[in-house]
Amino acid sequence: MKKLLTPVLIGLTILSSTACKHPGKEAEVITTAPENKDDISKNIYVDSYGEKIEVTINKTKNTATVHLNGKTYDLKKVMLYQSIQLPMKSINTLKSREISLS
């Protein structure tokens, strides 16, 4: 019996060491959708005739969406800059006034 116990233990050791060599499970990657951090306000207005107008304003993107009579209107705020050129005489006058006030 003692002679049989040693080969059985060696066999179990070899068997258990080879059984654990399979690749492990890959980690599951879960991606979440980014949260919408826009400042959005939505209002529905009804006039005295019962007509509805739905206005959605996104202050982050400076856009507005209006739903009226089955049509959708997308509006976007655009900043316009105008360049004004002053004559050189006006600039020199301003500089001289600044110097005289100091």
Side-chain angles (χ1 to χ4, degrees), residues 41-98:
S41 64
K42 182 177 182 180
N43 295 315
I44 298 175
Y45 301 100
V46 180
D47 66 1
S48 60
Y49 299 109
E51 294 180 4
K52 293 181 182 180
I53 182 171
E54 181 181 322
V55 180
T56 305
I57 299 174
N58 186 337
K59 293 180 182 176
T60 307
K61 295 180 180 177
N62 289 328
T63 60
T65 304
V66 179
H67 298 285
L68 176 65
N69 295 333
K71 295 181 182 177
T72 302
Y73 302 95
D74 292 320
L75 308 172
K76 182 169 177 131
K77 184 176 180 181
V78 178
M79 299 296 291
L80 298 176
Y81 296 100
Q82 183 177 4
S83 175
I84 301 173
Q85 293 192 358
L86 296 173
M88 247 352 212
K89 184 178 180 183
S90 297
I91 294 173
N92 289 336
T93 306
L94 290 174
K95 286 182 182 177
S96 64
R97 286 184 185 167
E98 289 177 359

Side-chain angles (χ1 to χ4, degrees), residues 1-20:
M1 183 79 164
K2 196 172 192 179
K3 291 182 182 181
L4 184 62
L5 183 63
T6 306
V8 169
L9 288 177
I10 292 173
L12 286 175
T13 306
I14 293 172
L15 183 64
S16 65
S17 66
T18 58
C20 294

